[in-house]
Amino acid sequence: MAQAIGVDIGGTGIKAGIVNLAHGTLDSDRVRVNTPVGARPADVLDTVREVLETLGVADSTLPLGVAFPAIVKRGKTLSAANIAKDWVDFEAEKFFEDGLGRHITFVNDADAAGVAESRHGAARDAIGLTIMTTLGTGIGSAFLHDGVLVPNTELGHLHRDGESIERWTAYSAMERENLSWEAWSARLQEFYSHVEFLFSPDLFVVGGGVSKHPEKFLPLLDLKTPIVAAVHRNASGIIGAASLAAD
Ligand code: BGC
């Protein structure tokens, strides 16, 4: 049965699993280790190595995909919104390939999540434009047109009052400012209405940890576009990264 390994590097945790590519499910436990303080490249590499060892795949020849919270163009990380600035203009894919002694596929985390939802989740068989957004520490986005990914869309960095809208609208803003669901949803409304006007999507998919509680905020949004919760919550980055690595 076709399998690949997915690793999802986040601001707080580094997670990994062995993915069943036909079903988009995990054939292993989901292993999680805290992201090292500061998230500098060398420390993150050590932690990824540790996670792969725990998963028992340190010497595996299965395809390996790594999802990361930054713009990733041809293996190079180009931004660092919620991570160490060392990652800006950094040959991340090569750094991990050299460090792990194997081939890897390095991709943006929201793009990975979008691919997981498109191939195996809430946007399966969706036609036209699906916009996946992940609401967490920041806001990640993925555009899929008839299932084809257009990478690095970065909607969390649309500007509002001179700063990235994710500062104001991500799930972390709700926690930081102790907002009610209603107050936070009003911010989401502004964000999604603007994105809807700009891109006329056919479907919005909402991921990130908060998609565990879709009933608290999705009904409060008034949009022309259907908006649904992601199916794969904390495994979407793992599943999508593994799928992309196997392409
Ligand atoms: C980053 C994106 C990332 C998103 C979610 C944003 O701050 O710029 O690249 O996808 O956070 O992690």
Side-chain angles (χ1 to χ4, degrees):
M1 189 178 307
Q3 293 179 318
I5 305 158
V7 176
D8 186 8
I9 300 176
T12 54
I14 296 182
K15 297 141 270 176
I18 301 172
V19 175
N20 176 315
L21 295 168
H23 298 123
T25 49
L26 293 190
D27 277 348
S28 70
D29 285 340
R30 178 173 158 277
V31 174
R32 184 191 183 282
V33 174
N34 284 340
T35 304
V37 179
R40 312 280 300 262
D43 299 331
V44 171
L45 171 62
D46 285 344
T47 310
V48 168
R49 221 183 257 127
E50 183 190 328
V51 161
L52 295 175
E53 270 158 26
T54 311
L55 200 58
V57 294
D59 299 316
S60 162
T61 54
L62 293 174
L64 169 60
V66 179
F68 193 80
I71 299 170
V72 183
K73 192 136 184 171
R74 293 185 198 93
K76 195 169 174 181
T77 40
L78 299 181
S79 65
N82 298 302
I83 45 169
K85 299 299 167 217
D86 310 39
W87 295 91
V88 179
D89 280 326
F90 183 70
E91 293 285 358
E93 188 171 75
K94 181 164 190 321
F95 178 76
F96 279 84
E97 287 191 336
D98 292 348
L100 299 173
R102 54 159 301 153
H103 178 68
I104 69 159
T105 301
F106 206 80
V107 297
N108 171 265
D109 58 353
D111 284 343
V115 165
E117 291 300 319
S118 167
R119 295 184 184 176
H120 305 286
R124 202 178 168 155
D125 300 324
I127 48 160
L129 178 63
T130 296
I131 298 186
M132 163 90 188
T133 50
T134 61
L135 305 174
T137 309
I139 295 182
S141 58
F143 280 30
L144 293 124
H145 193 265
D146 291 344
V148 177
L149 174 70
V150 179
N152 293 313
T153 45
E154 295 292 339
L155 294 185
H157 297 282
L158 285 169
H159 272 193
R160 186 184 185 280
D161 279 348
E163 60 175 10
S164 292
I165 196 161
E166 66 176 15
R167 274 292 294 167
W168 190 72
T169 320
Y171 184 53
S172 59
M174 177 173 174
E175 291 182 310
R176 193 175 55 240
E177 298 179 44
N178 248 313
L179 300 175
S180 64
W181 289 102
E182 289 73 19
W184 184 56
S185 298
R187 297 184 181 191
L188 291 177
Q189 178 70 48
E190 196 177 308
F191 171 70
Y192 284 111
S193 292
H194 187 46
V195 171
E196 178 175 65
F197 176 77
L198 290 176
F199 301 106
S200 302
D202 297 282
L203 177 67
F204 281 120
V205 180
V206 182
V210 70
S211 60
K212 263 189 293 229
H213 309 288
E215 74 289 352
K216 302 266 195 210
F217 65 101
L218 291 187
L220 304 181
L221 300 178
D222 179 18
L223 298 160
K224 292 187 237 47
T225 313
I227 182 162
V228 297
V231 169
H232 303 286
R233 287 173 190 129
N234 45 28
S236 63
I238 297 173
I239 295 167
S243 300
L244 286 165
D247 279 353

